[in-house]
Amino acid sequence: MSEVVRLEVADGIATIVLDRPKMNALDAQMQQRLVEVAEEVSTRTDVAAVVVWGGERVFAAGADIKEMAEMSYPDMAAHVRLLQRFSQALAAIPKPTVAAITGFALGGGLETALCCDFRVVADNAKLGLPEITLGIIPGAGGTQRLPRLVGPARAKELIFTGRMVSAAEALEIGLVDEVVPAAEVLEAARRKVAPFVGGPAQALRAAKEAVDRGLEVDLGTGLGIEAQLFSALFATQDQKSGMRSFMDDGPGKATFEGV
């Protein structure tokens, strides 16, 4: 099981590598392994940020259709729990995350990328949610995360038609954050999150939680979430170090320990 999804850690950055040739079709084995790896990087103190990488050829071309094609309603009612669990586990990683996308990110592949905070894509990338062409809809969060990212009208157009978008269009509509040559995707993704290594880990965790939870509630409730998380940071050593450094040496010179 460990071979289809590998975890590599270097210089404070964990790389979750999808490795199920040829197209990284996300079968139940990969989905379960993604849950395990997401939970591991969430708790490892030597990991400050996470890259999800599908390799040089393809990010992930979707869920494994052969595995699902003959499932009955009771079968899928049970299996969809795993679809939701693996995507929720990725989204819940309390550290900055970025998807490094080369080639296709379709269906469950794009849903995997949508679980990340950022998306860096190759100029040859193709992204989409083609489930409608199979007579189904996205089931690993696509109908919920895509509208929150690009707005409901654009999301509906992409989901209703199932069409693929180019890297350039994805950047234009806010689906991705950066487009680079294919050979530079992994390095660009690492650069995206490298500044968070050695940063105030508790504050980064709180910032991510405040934004993500705030998107689910009304403004007043979101402000309450922010206030609670803001106040809690005054129990951390990083808050003391950061403010003392600001007073003594000016902004941007603090050294953080992540506690």
Side-chain angles (χ1 to χ4, degrees), residues 146-175:
L146 185 61
R148 286 166 168 79
L149 188 62
V150 303
R154 281 199 175 104
K156 286 176 181 178
E157 190 268 329
L158 293 175
I159 294 168
F160 291 0
T161 64
R163 72 180 181 89
M164 292 186 291
V165 300
S166 66
E169 183 179 356
L171 182 64
E172 180 182 355
I173 66 176
L175 177 55

Side-chain angles (χ1 to χ4, degrees), residues 186-219:
L186 182 58
E187 184 56 35
R190 288 175 173 157
R191 284 199 305 269
K192 189 83 172 174
V193 294
F196 305 121
V197 177
Q202 298 303 318
L204 287 166
R205 176 194 292 258
K208 180 168 180 172
E209 182 178 349
V211 172
D212 289 349
R213 288 178 59 194
L215 286 171
E216 310 302 324
V217 299
D218 61 88
L219 178 59

Side-chain angles (χ1 to χ4, degrees), residues 94 199-208 229 232-233 236-238 257-259:
Q202 298 303 318
L204 287 166
R205 176 194 292 258
K208 180 168 180 172
L229 291 166
L233 291 171
T236 67
Q237 183 58 48
D238 280 349
E257 298 178 9
V259 294

